[in-house]
Amino acid sequence: MMKYEMSEPIGEDFTEKSNGYYISKKSLIAILTVFVLLLVGVAVLFYFIPRPSNEDEVVCPSVVPPPSDDPEDDIECPPMPDIPAEEPTESDPFYGRLSEDIKPMNYNVWLQIYLDIEDGIKRYSFDGNVSIVMHVYATTSTIKIHVWDLNLNHENTHLTDSLQNDVGISHLYEDEVNQFYVIETATPLAAGEDYIFHANFDANLTFNLHGLYRSFYGTPPNEVDLVASQCQPVAARRIFPCFDEPSFKATFDMIIVHRDRRHALSNMPVIKETTLEDDWIETTFDTSPVMSTYLVAVVVSDFPSLELIDGDLTFRVWAQPDYITAANYSLHVGLKLLRFFEQHYGIPYPITKLDMVAIPHFRSGAMENWGLIQYDETTMIYDPEVHTPRRKQDVAEYVSHEVAHKWFGNLVTMDWWEHLWLNEGIAEFLTYFGVDQVEPDWKIWDYFHVVAMRSAYRADSRSSSARPLIHPVGWNDEISDMFDTITYIKGKTICRHFRSFLNMSVIHNGLIDYLQMYKYGNTVSDDLWTMLTRADEGFKGTDVKMVMDSFTLMAGHPIVTVNRTDTNTVIVEQTYFLTDPNDYYQEQYPNNGYIWNVPLTYTDSSNPNFLHPNEHWLYNDSDVITLEGMNDQDWIFFNIDKWGFYRVNYDDDNWQKLANQFKIDHTVITGKSRASTIDDAFMAAEPFHTDIVNALRLTEYLDKEFEYVVWETVLDNLDYTHRMLLRTAEFYLFEVYWSQKVKPLYELLGWDFSLGGHQDYFQRINAIETACTYGTEDCVTQALEQYRHWMSTGVNNIRDEVRSTVYCTAIRHGGLDEWEFAHAKATNESLGTTETDRLQSAMGCTEKSWLLQRYLEDDNFNASTVVSNIREKSAIAYSVAWDYTMNNFDGFRLTYDTVWDFQDYMNTQFDLDQLNLFGAHNSNMSSDAAKGFYDAVQRVETNRDWMNRNKDSMKDWLLQVVNISTTGTTEGVMADVPRPNTPSTQFTDEGSRHFRWQIGRTPGA
């Protein structure tokens, strides 16, 4: 070994002895100093070199915990945004309900409307007076009547008894909080007597589409003014003082004064028109049936009309002159629907006229007022030369819904807004009965299954939107919030749920009894349950209230998991279903431990019976069902045609058996049941109730499937899986798989929209979009040819329904010329908002990163919009969009919402770290932005966990079902760009395809 000893010097610092070299003390100190400095430098270097995270590394959490008592446990983390305080779950108590001591019997309303220049300062206002006959049920000295933004003449406000004697008033004042006009009488009003309230008032026409408001058609300077009304839910009080609650029904006598260049419409037929001075006309209307104030309607316009006379009924449609001929479809289908519902429920429509008016500006889709239905123009006008079959179906559905309201809503009205679903949910459900009668070839119930039901399930499985169907409300904003997906869409799906435990004849008879018992009155939900229970006596004897309370008084719905424990035994368990496993129940809502009374229907492969399935009630969190006549190879199927409002999950073995049955002979299981099984499998996989491969296996037979209800369900559910795989190496296999599956459907339907029926129209759109999205060769070729024809001729012959698909496909598979053409059209021509939006979205489909960067830096476009147009189209587009957003974020051009919107595509720990780093760099963000941040973090955590659970199994499955040739291509799939061929988690290959559902697909289309 070498040893160091001190000796004589050889040079300045060294000495030599026979057995070695010796270092001076001075040199040794210098060497040690340099060594220490090197160690420090290496340590500093390693500290600043970025390191990939691993399981042993401390990573700052999204929400930094408080300091520990042990300083060694504290973690140095950057400050994060403040966690926003939870919003109050309850509003202030509401004490603004009307007293039952006094109720109205009749209103006499006179209105004079000022719309013209010659009206001077009164233009866009109205004068009015009202006389309300009231009956006193309990002695009182106080009358409360609703008013809102009305100028009342207190000197002319007075009260008389039935003999026209004045009743002394001691005090008049307005309660602005509850929107009451309060009259205190000098002496008590006697119970059992009638009194008359008189008031004069004036107000401005509103411009917010509530109350009595101004609308117009035409363009400046040739605008033509008109007046329309919208009283639901609480805006009748903005037109005249009234008892503005749905249970305070009365009759109405309306008089409207207007210029003779226009005509007036209201709920009832005109009984007299009187010519006044200065071109004024006074139009007097017949007395209405007993009705709620929110059904009062007024239209003053110069619209032309079309009419049909059927017996003693006059049925008319009104619209601006350019649109009146396109109201012809509504006219004919509306009359058919009215007669159908009369016959269906055995109760005649009680008014001798029905007017339907297309209003240029209307807040909702339509309004069902007695005798005068008002529509937004888009929901009543259909021109076969201009509009698509989708528009025609929308018009038919809207008209059917509003006509159905004549019985459910107008004739029988919910008592208070918490039971709004009795109006809207039932009318929505009956919409499909009506459309099925007037357009039987449409198979409209398929659309219910794939469009309405999926909306209901999705809204009801997120804490942000789920609430009980019946929910106490009071304040105006709470009432307005009831007009949501839960009321309309879950409401009609709940009506369909009846079919899972009641016969159709029982439901029909129960609804008839309900109408007969409560016509011209008001109801709560228990009244309907009572009628249905009575109708089921002698059949199944169901206690309908016991069943339905669990589905209407609690938020959400259950998922029933079916586990087969042996050949003839299954255990069924129910749990609250939320699509996000990190989501939570809304504790402010009442619940019964979230246990539903679930009407199970089921069958099996030993004796498949989808018409008369087995039935079993699940009243607790779990139960055991004994099966008969089955063997170990048989499958079981629950929730036939998805009649019941619950999801179903199975053990892995039964999922596989169902997938095998689909491949052997899918027709053994009905189309709606196939669709519902696929829907349940995909949705159950999102919150980890099962693996996504169980859902994907159910799609292996799809090259033999041609039913719309199944394909629409599959494509709707493919969204999440598509996004999760978009930036992985496996996405190429995913593309090839779906190109192969859709190819037979695409080849069957082609591009000729003149062929086939109504449902083929929607199926053809699906086939083209899917085939082009996943690179089916013929679809790409067709899209390029159509787009290039437009480029060369300047004539755009591309059908409106597939323009978004064609534009995106041509730009993705084309080159610079295709992109530049879209850019020129989007910036230099006035094509209208819809067409410009399509082109701007399609410009994000290019897979050339430098073009994407150019697009982002183009000042012609809004930066946030460009980011959204790019982000979802491909892996490279995502990376370009994210980098640009991080490098240019300023909170103005690129907002916090621009960043949070990346959450649906972020699914790795690296993504989560980047999001948290952005939060740390912007820790001073507002509380609203912070809420968005933490919501995004939760979403990305869920996506990451989903990928960790499913990515490897999806890869294995794709390798099994997709055969890739040695050239890396598959017949019929475009391979004009390089593909990733390594199993890396992320890549930036420009061959990644865009996300199909962001290129213009409309729900149900």
Side-chain angles (χ1 to χ4, degrees):
M1 70 183 280
M2 182 178 291
K3 56 182 179 181
Y4 295 92
E5 298 179 11
M6 300 301 292
S7 179
E8 296 179 4
I10 294 178
E12 182 178 355
D13 295 320
F14 293 89
T15 59
E16 181 181 8
K17 284 192 175 179
S18 60
N19 58 348
Y21 291 95
Y22 294 83
I23 305 174
S24 69
K25 184 175 182 181
K26 178 181 177 181
S27 298
L28 180 62
I29 292 172
I31 291 171
L32 290 174
T33 300
V34 170
F35 181 72
V36 171
L37 289 173
L38 285 172
L39 285 178
V40 172
V42 169
V44 170
L45 180 64
F46 271 93
Y47 179 83
F48 284 103
I49 290 176
R51 303 183 304 280
S53 60
N54 56 62
E55 294 181 359
D56 298 325
E57 182 182 4
V58 174
V59 178
C60 287
S62 304
V63 181
V64 181
S68 166
D69 293 335
D70 185 351
E72 293 184 1
D73 292 338
D74 287 346
I75 303 170
E76 283 286 338
C77 288
M80 301 298 283
D82 292 336
I83 301 175
E86 291 189 11
E87 296 180 3
T89 56
E90 295 183 4
S91 59
D92 294 334
F94 180 70
Y95 301 111
R97 291 294 302 273
L98 291 169
S99 168
E100 298 280 339
D101 294 348
I102 302 175
K103 285 197 170 184
M105 298 171 63
N106 174 265
Y107 292 83
N108 193 301
V109 181
W110 181 94
L111 301 172
Q112 182 166 8
I113 297 170
Y114 304 98
L115 277 176
D116 301 294
I117 294 176
E118 55 263 45
D119 295 324
I121 62 173
K122 293 185 72 66
R123 191 181 187 190
Y124 301 137
S125 69
F126 63 95
D127 294 333
N129 63 65
V130 64
S131 297
I132 309 174
V133 179
M134 307 170 295
H135 184 75
V136 177
Y137 289 87
T139 300
T140 182
S141 298
T142 303
I143 304 172
K144 293 182 179 181
I145 298 177
H146 286 110
V147 295
W148 186 7
D149 288 342
L150 296 178
N151 304 310
L152 274 82
N153 186 328
H154 299 298
E155 293 181 358
N156 289 330
T157 298
H158 61 286
L159 193 65
T160 60
D161 61 20
S162 57
L163 300 176
Q164 300 299 314
N165 297 313
D166 283 339
V167 176
I169 296 175
S170 61
H171 192 198
L172 288 172
Y173 66 93
E174 291 191 34
D175 174 359
E176 293 185 358
V177 172
N178 295 302
Q179 297 175 342
F180 281 145
Y181 190 54
V182 182
I183 305 101
E184 294 182 355
T185 60
T187 57
L189 304 179
E193 295 296 324
D194 295 339
Y195 296 86
I196 306 171
F197 168 81
H198 307 270
N200 295 342
F201 54 90
D202 63 77
N204 291 321
L205 296 172
T206 73
F207 292 87
N208 62 4
L209 311 185
H210 274 173
L212 200 61
Y213 68 91
R214 177 217 174 205
S215 181
F216 61 89
Y217 66 91
T219 57
N222 299 313
E223 291 179 354
V224 179
D225 288 324
L226 63 131
V227 162
S229 64
Q230 173 62 25
C231 292
Q232 191 184 54
V234 290
R237 65 191 70 173
R238 302 184 78 157
I239 303 177
F240 55 92
C242 58
F243 295 84
D244 201 10
E245 291 187 9
S247 64
F248 284 68
K249 289 187 169 184
T251 59
F252 290 79
D253 291 285
M254 302 291 294
I255 300 173
I256 300 173
V257 180
H258 54 92
R259 297 284 184 183
D260 61 6
R261 69 199 67 165
R262 301 181 185 89
H263 47 254
L265 300 173
S266 189
N267 303 87
M268 299 303 293
V270 175
I271 58 174
K272 184 174 62 173
E273 287 187 337
T274 304
T275 301
L276 306 178
E277 295 180 354
D278 299 326
D279 302 326
W280 290 98
I281 298 287
E282 184 179 77
T283 302
T284 304
F285 298 89
D286 203 355
T287 303
S288 77
V290 171
M291 67 182 195
S292 303
T293 49
Y294 76 81
L295 292 171
V296 171
V298 173
V299 174
V300 177
S301 75
D302 67 348
F303 286 171
S305 66
L306 302 173
E307 73 174 31
L308 293 172
I309 306 297
D310 187 27
D312 62 351
L313 175 70
T314 300
F315 199 108
R316 295 179 298 190
V317 291
W318 305 76
Q320 60 171 289
D322 288 346
Y323 294 165
I324 188 60
T325 57
N328 192 55
Y329 177 72
S330 298
L331 174 68
H332 287 83
V333 79
L335 179 58
K336 291 178 183 177
L337 286 162
L338 188 73
R339 292 311 192 197
F340 163 70
F341 284 117
E342 280 186 321
Q343 181 273 331
H344 193 64
Y345 291 110
I347 300 176
Y349 173 68
I351 304 174
T352 59
K353 70 98 175 178
L354 179 54
D355 289 306
M356 302 201 309
V357 187
I359 307 295
H361 307 92
F362 201 70
R363 192 175 186 88
S364 58
M367 182 61 207
E368 65 268 17
N369 317 296
W370 268 130
L372 178 55
I373 303 175
Q374 292 167 277
Y375 296 85
D376 182 85
E377 288 179 334
T378 60
T379 62
M380 197 186 101
I381 300 301
Y382 166 69
D383 184 345
E385 299 298 320
V386 175
H387 299 128
T388 67
R390 169 76 266 179
R391 174 71 166 259
K392 183 178 183 180
Q393 182 175 318
D394 285 345
V395 168
E397 289 181 12
Y398 270 99
V399 174
S400 184
H401 176 99
E402 303 310 322
V403 172
H405 265 310
K406 300 297 172 260
W407 287 265
F408 292 89
N410 297 12
L411 185 69
V412 178
T413 311
M414 80 277 155
D415 182 74
W416 181 244
W417 301 106
E418 64 188 303
H419 297 281
L420 179 61
W421 84 275
L422 290 173
N423 282 24
E424 301 299 345
I426 295 178
E428 273 284 287
F429 181 61
L430 295 178
T431 294
Y432 293 84
F433 282 96
V435 174
D436 197 40
Q437 286 294 312
V438 297
E439 299 287 1
D441 296 335
W442 287 3
K443 299 180 181 177
I444 195 66
W445 287 106
D446 285 354
Y447 298 93
F448 185 105
H449 194 93
V450 297
V451 178
M453 288 175 57
R454 77 182 178 204
S455 298
Y457 277 101
R458 280 154 177 72
D460 205 41
S461 58
R462 298 189 296 263
S463 65
S464 60
S465 53
R467 62 162 176 81
L469 188 60
I470 303 168
H471 177 54
V473 292
W475 299 104
N476 288 354
D477 58 345
E478 294 176 337
I479 293 170
S480 295
D481 288 345
M482 290 294 286
F483 291 80
D484 63 359
T485 300
I486 298 298
T487 289
Y488 283 79
I489 313 303
K490 181 178 178 178
K492 68 180 172 184
T493 306
I494 283 296
C495 291
R496 190 178 186 274
H497 176 78
F498 296 154
R499 180 64 182 83
S500 64
F501 61 94
L502 296 174
N503 297 332
M504 284 302 297
S505 60
V506 169
I507 299 170
H508 180 65
N509 292 333
L511 291 177
I512 290 176
D513 293 344
Y514 171 81
L515 291 174
Q516 291 287 1
M517 175 68 72
Y518 299 108
K519 59 186 177 183
Y520 299 109
N522 297 83
T523 60
V524 296
S525 298
D526 280 357
D527 297 322
L528 178 60
W529 308 152
T530 298
M531 293 297 103
L532 290 172
T533 298
R534 290 179 183 176
D536 199 38
E537 291 175 357
F539 293 90
K540 298 180 182 179
T542 310
D543 183 345
V544 176
K545 175 177 169 57
M546 181 187 71
V547 177
M548 295 308 300
D549 275 356
S550 65
F551 283 91
T552 58
L553 299 180
M554 293 193 300
H557 58 273
I559 183 170
V560 175
T561 297
V562 180
N563 283 299
R564 195 168 173 186
T565 56
D566 58 45
T567 303
N568 295 307
T569 306
V570 296
I571 295 176
V572 289
E573 300 175 282
Q574 62 165 302
T575 55
Y576 190 123
F577 181 76
L578 291 165
T579 53
D580 187 337
N582 294 318
D583 206 347
Y584 54 91
Y585 311 136
Q586 289 285 11
E587 295 296 339
Q588 77 264 30
Y589 297 132
N591 66 79
N592 183 32
Y594 289 109
I595 300 297
W596 288 262
N597 297 318
V598 186
L600 302 175
T601 57
Y602 64 95
T603 189
D604 60 73
S605 54
S606 67
N607 182 26
N609 190 336
F610 287 82
L611 288 177
H612 304 287
N614 301 302
E615 298 179 356
H616 183 89
W617 283 99
L618 177 59
Y619 294 116
N620 302 304
D621 57 355
S622 65
D623 202 357
V624 177
I625 299 177
T626 301
L627 310 172
E628 297 181 359
M630 291 186 64
N631 60 50
D632 290 340
Q633 285 70 48
D634 288 329
W635 47 260
I636 48 179
F637 188 99
F638 276 73
N639 202 5
I640 305 304
D641 286 356
K642 213 165 197 171
W643 287 109
F645 191 63
Y646 58 93
R647 292 199 177 278
V648 178
N649 179 37
Y650 301 101
D651 55 63
D652 290 345
D653 182 60
N654 199 68
W655 280 125
Q656 182 65 65
K657 288 173 180 175
L658 288 171
N660 292 340
Q661 179 63 64
F662 283 9
K663 288 189 286 187
I664 295 168
D665 182 5
H666 60 277
T667 62
V668 169
I669 299 173
T670 65
K672 289 186 178 66
S673 288
R674 296 196 300 275
S676 65
T677 303
I678 292 170
D679 184 52
D680 282 346
F682 274 98
M683 294 309 299
E686 278 198 37
F688 312 151
H689 289 284
T690 191
D691 293 333
I692 191 60
V693 168
N694 285 328
L696 291 169
R697 288 193 185 110
L698 294 172
T699 70
E700 292 178 21
Y701 84 103
L702 282 177
D703 49 354
K704 302 179 181 66
E705 178 65 79
F706 299 96
E707 284 204 33
Y708 167 78
V709 67
V710 177
W711 268 105
E712 178 65 28
T713 300
V714 169
L715 297 178
D716 181 64
N717 278 286
L718 211 52
D719 182 336
Y720 187 72
T721 309
H722 182 117
R723 284 187 277 114
M724 293 301 96
L725 287 176
L726 182 63
R727 295 184 294 139
T728 69
E730 290 72 41
F731 189 69
Y732 172 52
L733 297 176
F734 190 73
E735 286 183 299
V736 172
Y737 176 79
W738 285 106
S739 177
Q740 293 170 342
K741 292 305 170 188
V742 78
K743 188 176 180 182
L745 181 68
Y746 168 78
E747 291 178 340
L748 174 70
L749 295 171
W751 290 73
D752 190 347
F753 281 82
S754 66
L755 301 177
H758 184 77
Q759 203 169 85
D760 291 329
Y761 165 84
F762 296 99
Q763 187 77 308
R764 182 172 287 107
I765 294 173
N766 279 345
I768 291 171
E769 288 183 354
T770 308
C772 281
T773 294
Y774 292 115
T776 302
E777 186 171 6
D778 181 74
C779 192
V780 173
T781 300
Q782 291 279 351
L784 281 166
E785 288 178 357
Q786 293 183 39
Y787 189 85
R788 286 168 179 166
H789 179 270
W790 181 24
M791 292 173 63
S792 63
T793 67
V795 178
N796 189 350
N797 291 325
I798 304 167
R799 280 192 67 102
D800 185 79
E801 302 91 328
V802 294
R803 282 188 177 183
S804 293
T805 300
V806 170
Y807 297 171
C808 183
T809 303
I811 290 173
R812 186 174 75 242
H813 291 275
L816 177 60
D817 288 346
E818 284 75 15
W819 192 91
E820 290 276 20
F821 179 78
H823 181 274
K825 290 289 183 182
T827 55
N828 297 330
E829 296 192 17
S830 300
L831 298 176
T833 302
T834 300
E835 189 71 358
T836 300
D837 288 347
R838 286 173 179 159
L839 287 164
Q840 290 186 25
S841 177
M843 287 165 63
C845 296
T846 180
E847 294 178 342
K848 294 174 173 55
S849 59
W850 62 272
L851 265 183
L852 293 170
Q853 192 68 34
R854 174 182 160 187
Y855 187 19
L856 284 163
E857 296 172 1
D858 194 326
D859 291 336
N860 288 298
F861 307 107
N862 176 273
S864 290
T865 301
V866 175
V867 169
S868 66
N869 285 336
I870 288 176
R871 179 180 47 233
E872 68 270 9
K873 299 303 197 312
S874 66
I876 186 64
Y878 172 92
S879 297
V880 171
W882 177 259
D883 289 346
Y884 179 85
T885 303
M886 293 299 98
N887 290 328
N888 295 275
F889 178 79
D890 56 9
F892 299 100
R893 286 182 67 252
L894 297 172
T895 66
Y896 284 106
D897 285 342
T898 307
V899 180
W900 311 153
D901 287 345
F902 279 87
Q903 63 182 283
D904 288 337
Y905 306 89
M906 305 176 85
N907 57 16
T908 66
Q909 184 60 46
F910 179 73
D911 291 335
L912 183 60
D913 291 343
Q914 287 187 309
L915 185 61
N916 280 323
L917 185 60
F918 176 85
H921 282 315
N922 296 275
S923 59
N924 61 343
M925 67 182 70
S926 69
S927 60
D928 286 344
K931 182 180 186 305
F933 168 72
Y934 287 109
D935 287 346
V937 166
Q938 178 178 307
R939 180 72 256 173
V940 177
E941 288 174 343
T942 299
N943 293 344
R944 176 203 59 191
D945 296 344
W946 189 92
M947 285 293 284
N948 291 341
R949 175 181 174 122
N950 290 293
K951 184 175 184 294
D952 290 342
S953 61
M954 282 192 292
K955 176 182 177 180
D956 293 341
W957 173 77
L958 284 167
L959 289 171
Q960 291 172 6
V961 298
V962 178
N963 294 318
I964 304 297
S965 68
T966 56
T967 62
T969 64
T970 298
E971 182 181 359
V973 180
M974 292 296 286
D976 55 339
V977 288
R979 297 288 184 179
N981 54 16
T982 60
S984 60
T985 302
Q986 306 235 347
F987 65 93
T988 57
D989 175 70
E990 294 196 13
S992 304
R993 296 303 186 216
H994 72 290
F995 182 23
R996 147 189 203 278
W997 288 268
Q998 302 299 324
I999 60 175
R1001 184 167 182 265
T1002 55

